[in-house]
């Protein structure tokens, strides 16, 4: 089944790669698969990443099955271990059993485990969203009448063009010439009715983001003259003086042309500038919104004070009443990274081949389930545990084997002892599992606190606003910037991918260790049930009246929900921290790679981790049926409990309990308790 699921995943990956290659007309490594509004592509991204995490979890689960089969001991391995006074694990994932693996089996076991690393590091980032950033926009300081179409320049002045003669003198001639800046400003004025009015605080919040996906040109509306005309004139191009040149000579045309555009006598536009951020996102240097603070240094540190006193917001000497903001629909691309997808496909092929070989190589009938082990020990008794029918796994682990023998009276005397499921697994397994989960939770909590503080600084204070940020959504308020990792170039992309997907590796380890815990508890329940009612053995390949309901020890009713829970956790993490690509709409080279985060996803991941811990504790606190030694997965303890009277059939229903006096007298090597076929 593992090979079948792996093959299905491979076929889907190959088909998707073929579709992407066909659409890759530019032969680039990253292909914009779908382009459109961010709102619509967000749902596409959520669905695709859910499918990716289903596929990766199936591959991880398949690897786990094959690794457990490879590490499962054969009867010969157990006999050799017992002869040396050692023991092996039966029916659970085990690192202890590695010591008995042959060289080929060991390499195969290691490859199945290690091949999951590149899949989890790259699979989720094979498909990702990128968002368009409006890095260059116009900032206008104008009166209220500007929105009503009041003139701001003298149209006759736009026809005066100055030529520089050979001797260096300037000569002015009338030319029918229209300046591009004037056209741009007229276009802005014509669309003012579509602009969104923002009060000062909201305007400051909107334009102090490091990227502007849904904001561009902004008009700062003022009703006053500047406090200091000389200071105000330093803001781009000024119309403070009647007849002044609205566009400075030579601003967009090189020497010798110096076209002019004269301000209107009563210009509705005081000043404007085409704002080009001085530094790129994440550089840790000048923020891209310095115009808000005038000449005040380190504007990012002044923003909080400006927000707190937004009624007196002053920009280059102008008292700002409110803003008019242009709000283009945010544009995103859903991209596919061909190189990463090829890496995923290659390791997908390797993993399928390894799983197929692992299943093919199972020629010695390893003891995969507890039923397989009981069957083997009933058919041929273990020679090294005679007379120790009450041996427990805990006594073996503590090294106190000799005290658990025939000298004890009765049938172990545990009828009145309350044994919980958690005792079926070693303290080491429990410690590793909950230490890993604790590290996960301890990492999430401070990150969540920092994330909440960051969005609060962006004036996101209500639960509704937080929920609107969503899962896996690139939002300027939830991007990581000013960190030590580079944000431009291929190296930045690779590092961002590693940072975004490294939690997937931790979660995979948590899944494997908790799956081991659940398997150990399932084993204990199945083992203890032999004291309650007659039942046939559940084996991997049944004979006669035996059962074969599932291949491994963990039952489907527990294993499938655990795997689904793992899929949800992997998906939540992929939407909690993720690769974020920002495409500049003006400067193609200024493309940024960083990571985005989701408060909703991070909080949901934290809740899921707590649920996993609580569920495991509740499950482990259940009582086991009494009357049978708790053997765990220890081969010595299991073998000791399987010394049955001669004639006991492994094909018929079995029970474990006190044997009759007659059965003990006729079988001198049988203890006081054991398996028997009830009449």
């Amino acid at each position: 089944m593992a090979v079948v699921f792996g093959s299905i995943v491979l076929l889907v990956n190959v088909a998707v790669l073929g579709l992407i290659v066909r659409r890759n007309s530019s032969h680039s490594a990253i292909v914009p698969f779908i382009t459109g509004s961010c709102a619509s592509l967000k749902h596409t991204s959520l669905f695709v990443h859910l499918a990716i995490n289903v596929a990766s979890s199936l591959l991880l689960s398949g690897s786990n099955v094959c690794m457990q089969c490879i590490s499962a001991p054969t009867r010969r391995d157990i006999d050799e271990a017992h002869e040396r006074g050692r023991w092996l694990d039966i029916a659970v994932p085990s690192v202890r059993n590695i010591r008995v693996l042959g060289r080929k089996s060991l390499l195969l076991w290691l490859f199945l485990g290690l091949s999951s690393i590149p899949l989890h590091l790259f699979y989720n980032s094979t498909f990702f969203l990128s968002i368009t950033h409006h890095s260059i926009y116009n900032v206008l300081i104008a009166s209220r009448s500007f929105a009503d179409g009041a003139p701001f320049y003298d149209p006759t002045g736009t026809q005066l063009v100055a030529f520089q003669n050979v001797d260096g003198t300037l000569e002015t001639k009338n030319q029918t010439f229209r300046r591009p800046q004037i056209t741009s400003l007229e276009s802005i004025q014509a669309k003012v009715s579509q602009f969104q009015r923002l009060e000062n605080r909201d305007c400051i919040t909107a334009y102090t983001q490091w990227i502007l996906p849904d904001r561009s040109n902004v008009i700062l509306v003022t009703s006053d003259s500047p406090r200091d005309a000389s200071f105000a004139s330093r803001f781009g191009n000024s119309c403070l003086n009647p007849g002044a040149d609205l566009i400075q000579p030579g601003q967009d045309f090189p020497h010798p042309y110096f076209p002019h555009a004269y301000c209107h006598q009563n210009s509705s536009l005081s000043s404007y500038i085409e704002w080009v951020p001085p530094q790129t996102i994440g550089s840790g240097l000048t923020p891209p919104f310095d115009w808000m603070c005038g000449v005040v240094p380190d504007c990012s540190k002044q923003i909080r004070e400006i927000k707190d006193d937004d009624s007196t917001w002053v920009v280059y000497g102008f008292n700002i009443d409110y803003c008019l903001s242009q709000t283009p629909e945010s544009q995103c691309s859903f991209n596919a990274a061909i190189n990463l997808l090829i890496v995923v496909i290659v390791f997908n092929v390797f993993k399928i081949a390894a799983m197929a070989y692992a299943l093919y190589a199972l020629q010695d009938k390893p003891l995969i389930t507890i039923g397989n082990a009981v069957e083997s020990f009933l058919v041929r008794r273990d020679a090294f545990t005679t007379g120790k029918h009450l041996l427990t796994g805990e006594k073996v682990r503590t090294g106190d084997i000799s005290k658990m023998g025939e000298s004890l009276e009765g049938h172990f005397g545990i009828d009145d002892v309350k044994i919980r499921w958690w005792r079926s697994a070693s303290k080491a397994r429990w410690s590793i599992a909950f230490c890993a989960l604790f590290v996960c939770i301890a990492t999430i909590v401070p990150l969540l606190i920092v994330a909440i503080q960051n969005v609060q600084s962006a004036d996101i204070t209500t639960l509704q606003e937080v929920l609107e940020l969503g899962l896996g959504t690139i939002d300027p308020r939830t991007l990581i910037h000013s960190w030590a990792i580079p944000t431009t170039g291929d190296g930045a992309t690779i590092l961002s991918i590693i940072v975004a997907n490294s939690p997937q590796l931790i979660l995979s380890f948590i899944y494997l260790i908790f799956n081991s815990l659940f398997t150990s508890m399932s084993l204990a329940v199945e083992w203890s049930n032999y004291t309650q009612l007659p039942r046939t053995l559940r084996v991997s390949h049944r004979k006669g009246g035996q059962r074969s309901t599932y291949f491994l020890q963990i039952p489907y009713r527990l294993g499938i929900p655990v795997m689904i829970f793992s899929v949800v956790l992997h998906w939540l993490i992929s939407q909690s921290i993720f690769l974020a690509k920002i495409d500049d709409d003006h400067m193609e080279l200024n493309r940024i790679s960083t990571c985005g985060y989701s408060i909703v996803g991070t909080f949901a991941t934290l809740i899921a981790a707590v649920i996993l811990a609580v569920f495991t504790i509740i499950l482990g606190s259940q009582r086991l049926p009494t009357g049978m030694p708790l053997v765990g997965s220890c081969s010595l303890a299991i073998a000791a409990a399987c010394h049955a009277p001669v004639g006991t059939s492994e094909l018929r229903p079995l029970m474990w309990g006190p044997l009759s006096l007659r059965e003990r007298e006729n079988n001198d090597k049988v203890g006081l308790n054991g398996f028997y076929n009830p009449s």
Side-chain angles (χ1 to χ4, degrees), residues 141-159:
I141 301 178
S143 65
R144 298 171 187 266
S145 62
F146 182 82
D148 299 326
F152 60 90
Y153 76 100
D154 183 355
T156 61
T158 59
Q159 298 175 0

Side-chain angles (χ1 to χ4, degrees), residues 416-473:
D416 298 327
V417 178
K418 299 176 181 179
I419 299 180
R420 307 289 181 177
W421 288 21
W422 67 264
R423 290 184 59 185
S424 60
S426 66
K427 292 180 181 178
R429 285 183 191 267
W430 281 99
S431 299
I432 293 172
F434 274 84
C435 281
L437 194 60
F438 175 78
V439 169
C440 178
I441 293 174
T443 304
I444 292 174
V445 170
L447 291 178
L448 183 60
I449 293 174
V450 172
I452 292 173
Q453 291 174 343
N454 287 341
V455 298
Q456 283 179 339
S457 66
D459 286 349
I460 298 177
T461 55
T462 66
L463 178 60
Q464 181 63 31
E465 290 174 325
V466 172
L467 293 176
E468 287 175 355
L469 292 174
L471 289 168
T473 303

Side-chain angles (χ1 to χ4, degrees), residues 647-668:
T648 302
S649 173
E650 75 279 7
L651 303 179
R652 295 169 52 198
L654 293 165
M655 286 192 71
W656 194 96
L659 301 175
S660 66
L661 179 62
R662 178 178 156 185
E663 288 174 322
R664 297 202 303 270
E665 289 176 347
N666 294 336
N667 299 272
D668 57 351

Side-chain angles (χ1 to χ4, degrees), residues 34 90 117 140 160 180 236 259 264 307 330 384 405 495 547 625 630:
I34 308 173
I90 293 177
I117 294 177
L140 288 70
L160 294 176
H264 193 273
K307 280 186 180 181
S330 57
F384 307 99
L495 289 173
R547 294 169 294 148
L630 188 62

Side-chain angles (χ1 to χ4, degrees), residues 427-445 502-515 517 569 573 605-606 609-610 612-613 616:
K427 292 180 181 178
R429 285 183 191 267
W430 281 99
S431 299
I432 293 172
F434 274 84
C435 281
L437 194 60
F438 175 78
V439 169
C440 178
I441 293 174
T443 304
I444 292 174
V445 170
S502 55
Q504 299 286 348
L505 297 178
I506 300 173
L507 181 57
S508 296
F509 174 76
I510 290 175
Y511 165 75
L512 293 176
I513 190 65
F514 272 86
N515 182 73
L517 279 181
L569 261 179
I573 287 182
T605 302
L606 176 62
V610 173
L612 176 61
T616 306

Side-chain angles (χ1 to χ4, degrees), residues 557-621:
R557 65 179 178 273
L558 182 58
I560 291 178
V562 168
M563 190 173 72
I564 292 174
F565 190 80
S566 172
V567 170
V568 173
L569 261 179
H570 276 289
W571 176 68
L572 282 175
I573 287 182
S574 73
Q575 301 305 295
S576 298
I577 181 168
F578 46 87
L579 173 66
K581 295 275 285 184
I582 297 97
D583 297 327
D584 198 301
D585 65 341
H586 285 87
M587 295 176 285
E588 186 175 348
L589 295 178
N590 191 21
R591 291 183 174 179
I592 306 302
S593 296
T594 184
C595 288
Y597 58 88
S598 166
I599 291 182
V600 176
T602 305
F603 184 74
T605 302
L606 176 62
I607 295 299
V610 173
I611 289 174
L612 176 61
V614 172
F615 172 77
T616 306
I617 292 172
I618 292 175
L619 194 67
S621 64

